[in-house]
Amino acid sequence: MTAIDRVTAFVLGRRGKWVVLAVWVLILVVSAPLAGKLTGAQDNEASSWLPKDAESTQVVELSERFVPSDVLPAVVVYDRGGAAITGADRAKAAADARRFTTVRDEDGAKIVTKVQGPITSRDGQSLQTIVDIKVGEEGWEKLGPAVEDMRDIAQRDGGAAGLEAHVTGPGGYSGDFAQVFSGFDATLLYITAVIVVVILLITYRSPSLWAVPLICVFFSLTAAQALIYLLAEHAGLTVNGQSAFILIVLMFGAGTDYALLLIARYREELRRHADRHTAMAMALHRAGPAILASGTTVALSLLCLLIATLNSSKSMGPVMAIGIVVVLASMLTLLPALLVICGRWLFWPRLPHHGSPEPTERGAWARIGGAIARRPRITWVVTALVLGVMAIGMTGLKTEYLAQRDAFWGDKPDSEIGEEVLVKHFPAGAGAPVQVVASAGSAQPVTSALDSVPKISDVRQVGPPRDGLAYIEGTLDAPPDAREGFDAIEQARDAVHAVPGANAKVGGTTAVTLDINDAASRDQNVVIPLVLLVVLIILAALLRALVAPLILVATVVLSFAAALGVSALVFDHVFGFAGADPQFPLWAFVFLVALGTDYNIFLMTRVHEEAKQHGTRRGALIGLAATGAVITSAGTVLAGTFAALGSLPLVFVTELGFAVAFGVLLDTFIVRSVLVSALTMDVGRWMWWPSGLARVSEPVKPTRTPPA
């Protein structure tokens, strides 16, 4: 008896199903209070995403002796749209500077540590005030309201006189990001749930069946969020707003996929068995291994991110893997228990009566399979060529960097408007200094070396040396998150590293962004091959073959390339995005490959099962007819859940949602159902080499689907 059979025997027992339901209810009761605390445990600071050995990370740690590491500068900028600043304007800005010191967080604690300014621009047309905001461990969620309070102060009584004010800089942007993330997890949960409900209603055409998978997903999501919160609080797991949002859509999408596969097989077995317990036992026996293998593949693929150097990618791996494991456990225990408890009436009005014919035998996918079987080689060659042409668009994907001003879509946030005003009148890097830490005895030559770098000005040593170290700052005269700024940081590092014995290191906001970009490129080159290897090993173990896994992995890569190619064209020519985050290709790859392998497993395990009785080519027809509707329904659900990410007005999240949604639809409707089926029919029994099934003679190739 296999492990799944033992679980089945308990879950479907006379008392077991009620025990399973009681255990999950208890898990929900315990988890709910903890899950609600996950937002407070998030760490959204860019510097916390970096690997420990990054130069900018070392500067963050060393510079704590001189400047607080938990302080973000916000820049308040005033202007008159090209007119000269008046004395009344200076008086207002000075009064505002005093008011900024009174800004407090929601708990009444002081949050502003220092205010510099107002400073008049050289052209006399603008003012800027730099306000240092103490972030602290829980400051991210308090940053948004604090920045809004500053905007209220700065914009008060200015409009009548024509003076405009904006809050920008690292603090302004971070405040706008915090406002976007604040409370959106609940909104995204509702949007995703509605999408899943609508698709399930269309799929099942039942007013009640859709609720069972949704209940299971809700239970497992709450449990996963609670577990992730505990690991974040007590085990050092880094969780940010993006991974918390993606967890929701991933669990809804993947959980519903597993539910669709099990329910489809259960419905088949209900037509063959009078007793629903027996029917579910057979459904779990036959579909359970595929579901378990699918979830394992996704979880292990995500865990490959643990070797990433970026903490944002490294932490996303276990966060998502936890979600997959928990939802998988729910779909293999709670879902079958609920289905058996409720009985056949859940399928009303299309009840699967014992002895009734299976509709998939003569459905649309059976007819498509018959058409593919007539000319399988031409089908897969033409399909592969079309996908290859689509993949050409990858060459236009811009992933070098995504500036903060390009990170939002829709209405411009105030921080972006403020930056546009700021760069017209002040150095572009105002409020985000270049930071250098060096040995105290080399302070003067390091200062001179930094001052010699083009695009860096106002270089000065800040405070006396401490612990044998000197702290030096400079102002970047280039956009801090653009190529010009990155080049200046690289030149600064070359200059100060050349000072003998100084052991100088360059950090600051721009250096952090540069190091994130470099680490993202390294992670992409290391993680992607490992994910492919993991998928190949799992498929080989599941199908007991080598040829089929190699072919399937090749189709997965082609599908990913085609999806990314089309996405690049859409981002550039339809959405008008400036580019993509450096982490985008890796995240899109992991999701598309892992989830695309799900559909490979759904299809090929059924083909493998049928090939033992009917031969590979007939087995491919039966497998496509039986799973085609399930796979396309599952893909539609998963695509819909990831498309929900587009409701968040952030370019990175929207791009990831679009790429995964489009890639999943391409995978389910074309790659899995047409390309893989055609390849299987063309290669025939050699798909299973070197297993014994490869030596079984192939019967005459059919032109239509035989009865299952």
Side-chain angles (χ1 to χ4, degrees):
M1 181 180 289
T2 66
I4 290 181
D5 290 335
R6 287 193 289 270
V7 171
T8 300
F10 175 76
V11 170
L12 303 180
R14 184 172 297 179
R15 297 179 180 175
K17 58 181 179 287
W18 295 105
V19 172
V20 168
L21 178 59
V23 168
W24 275 102
V25 170
L26 179 62
I27 290 173
L28 178 68
V29 171
V30 173
S31 300
L34 298 173
K37 299 179 180 180
L38 181 58
T39 300
Q42 293 175 12
D43 186 351
N44 293 287
E45 290 303 312
S47 59
S48 67
W49 298 359
L50 285 166
K52 291 184 178 180
D53 58 351
E55 186 168 339
S56 55
T57 306
Q58 297 176 46
V59 172
V60 169
E61 296 171 353
L62 294 173
S63 63
E64 289 181 352
R65 298 168 173 82
F66 306 93
V67 292
S69 62
D70 58 351
V71 169
L72 272 180
V75 180
V76 184
V77 58
Y78 303 83
D79 88 310
R80 288 184 161 276
I85 291 295
T86 66
D89 297 336
R90 293 186 181 88
K92 171 180 166 45
D96 289 349
R98 292 189 294 272
R99 294 191 188 101
F100 293 149
T101 62
T102 66
V103 173
R104 298 180 179 272
D105 63 22
E106 296 172 349
D107 298 327
K110 185 177 180 181
I111 197 170
V112 173
T113 60
K114 185 172 66 173
V115 177
Q116 304 174 57
I119 303 167
T120 306
S121 63
R122 292 181 180 178
D123 60 12
Q125 296 178 356
S126 182
L127 299 167
Q128 72 165 347
T129 302
I130 300 174
V131 183
D132 288 344
I133 304 174
K134 184 176 179 60
V135 180
E137 294 182 359
E138 299 180 356
W140 176 264
E141 57 184 295
K142 299 176 181 178
L143 187 59
V147 169
E148 285 303 305
D149 287 345
M150 289 173 55
R151 286 197 176 110
D152 289 341
I153 292 172
Q155 294 172 358
R156 189 183 308 157
D157 302 327
L163 182 69
E164 294 185 357
H166 310 279
V167 181
T168 185
Y173 272 110
S174 296
D176 285 340
F177 277 113
Q179 288 292 83
V180 168
F181 285 125
S182 178
F184 196 82
D185 49 352
T187 303
L188 183 63
L189 178 62
Y190 298 143
I191 293 172
T192 306
V194 169
I195 290 173
V196 172
V197 168
V198 170
I199 296 174
L200 289 180
L201 280 171
I202 295 172
T203 300
Y204 290 132
R205 299 176 190 175
S206 166
S208 54
L209 184 56
W210 61 268
V212 178
L214 219 60
I215 290 171
C216 296
V217 170
F218 175 73
F219 274 52
S220 55
L221 176 62
T222 305
Q225 289 175 328
L227 180 56
I228 292 166
Y229 164 74
L230 292 174
L231 292 174
E233 283 293 298
H234 305 291
L237 179 66
T238 302
V239 185
N240 57 46
Q242 291 176 349
S243 60
F245 288 157
I246 296 171
L247 176 71
I248 294 174
V249 299
L250 178 66
M251 291 189 67
F252 264 90
T256 307
D257 278 6
Y258 303 147
L260 282 165
L261 183 64
L262 180 61
I263 292 173
R265 198 60 188 254
Y266 176 49
R267 185 168 52 191
E268 280 187 52
E269 300 300 333
L270 283 173
R271 301 179 188 278
R272 297 170 183 163
H273 303 278
D275 181 69
R276 65 181 187 274
H277 295 80
T278 304
M280 178 57 76
M282 291 302 299
L284 275 172
H285 176 74
R286 292 180 173 175
I291 295 173
L292 184 60
S294 298
T296 302
T297 302
V298 177
L300 291 179
S301 298
L302 289 165
L303 287 176
C304 289
L305 289 169
L306 284 171
I307 68 169
T309 53
L310 273 178
N311 285 337
S312 53
S313 294
K314 180 184 294 186
S315 65
M316 189 183 72
V319 168
M320 301 301 155
I322 289 169
I324 290 295
V325 170
V326 175
V327 80
L328 182 64
S330 171
M331 294 306 160
L332 290 176
T333 56
L334 180 60
L335 176 63
L338 286 174
L339 289 171
V340 171
I341 288 172
C342 295
R344 294 176 189 258
W345 69 266
L346 271 176
F347 292 89
W348 184 88
R350 304 172 69 188
L351 298 179
H353 296 291
H354 178 222
S356 60
E358 176 56 43
T360 59
E361 294 177 7
R362 294 175 177 81
W365 286 106
R367 294 190 294 273
I368 292 172
I372 294 172
R374 284 191 283 273
R375 292 184 176 179
R377 184 165 301 174
I378 292 178
T379 300
W380 75 256
V381 168
V382 172
T383 304
L385 287 174
V386 171
L387 292 172
V389 171
M390 294 167 65
I392 295 174
M394 285 181 62
T395 58
L397 186 64
K398 308 168 188 174
T399 59
E400 187 178 11
Y401 59 87
L402 186 66
Q404 283 186 316
R405 63 180 176 276
D406 299 320
F408 298 87
W409 60 264
D411 295 335
K412 287 185 180 181
D414 184 66
S415 52
E416 183 178 342
I417 299 172
E419 183 184 353
E420 293 174 354
V421 173
L422 189 68
V423 297
K424 291 179 181 178
H425 306 288
F426 293 94
V434 179
Q435 300 174 321
V436 178
V437 177
S439 60
S442 303
Q444 185 56 47
V446 169
T447 300
S448 299
L450 185 64
D451 195 38
S452 68
V453 176
K455 299 296 182 182
I456 296 181
S457 61
D458 193 24
V459 178
R460 64 198 182 283
Q461 181 177 339
V462 179
R466 295 181 183 177
D467 300 330
L469 297 174
Y471 176 72
I472 301 161
E473 283 188 355
T475 300
L476 190 64
D477 296 330
D481 51 5
R483 185 68 258 171
E484 190 179 2
F486 300 150
D487 289 342
I489 294 297
E490 290 173 344
Q491 293 171 18
R493 284 176 171 171
D494 290 340
V496 302
H497 291 172
V499 178
N503 195 25
K505 296 177 174 60
V506 178
T509 303
T510 305
V512 167
T513 305
L514 175 62
D515 289 344
I516 287 176
N517 294 353
D518 291 342
S521 298
R522 178 266 177 196
D523 291 345
Q524 185 174 315
N525 295 333
V526 173
V527 175
I528 286 178
L530 180 60
V531 172
L532 291 175
L533 179 62
V534 167
V535 170
L536 182 64
I537 292 172
I538 293 176
L539 287 173
L542 181 66
L543 300 176
R544 298 180 179 86
L546 289 177
V547 174
L550 287 170
I551 289 176
L552 295 176
V553 167
T555 64
V556 164
V557 173
L558 181 59
S559 176
F560 165 73
L564 213 61
V566 172
S567 296
L569 294 174
V570 172
F571 297 162
D572 191 17
H573 300 291
V574 179
F575 295 160
F577 294 154
D581 190 278
Q583 299 177 84
F584 165 74
L586 176 59
W587 286 31
F589 176 86
V590 171
F591 283 120
L592 282 175
V593 169
L595 297 171
T597 302
D598 262 7
Y599 305 127
N600 269 325
I601 291 172
F602 291 174
L603 173 63
M604 294 306 291
T605 52
R606 185 60 181 264
V607 172
H608 188 268
E609 176 186 335
E610 300 294 344
K612 296 176 183 177
Q613 300 180 38
H614 306 289
T616 300
R617 292 190 173 95
R618 294 185 69 191
L621 285 172
I622 297 171
L624 179 59
T627 65
V630 177
I631 289 176
T632 51
S633 296
T636 303
V637 169
L638 189 62
T641 57
F642 270 89
L645 289 173
S647 57
L648 193 69
L650 295 177
V651 169
F652 173 76
V653 177
T654 300
E655 289 182 337
L656 183 65
F658 176 87
V660 175
F662 177 78
V664 165
L665 292 176
L666 182 69
D667 208 61
T668 53
F669 282 91
I670 304 298
V671 179
R672 260 359 92 215
S673 303
V674 178
L675 180 61
V676 171
S677 295
L679 280 165
T680 304
M681 293 175 195
D682 191 23
V683 177
R685 60 191 174 95
W686 296 110
M687 288 286 287
W688 316 117
W689 187 88
S691 71
L693 194 56
R695 295 187 289 274
V696 178
S697 298
E698 195 73 44
V700 178
K701 184 168 68 174
T703 58
R704 63 186 181 88
T705 305

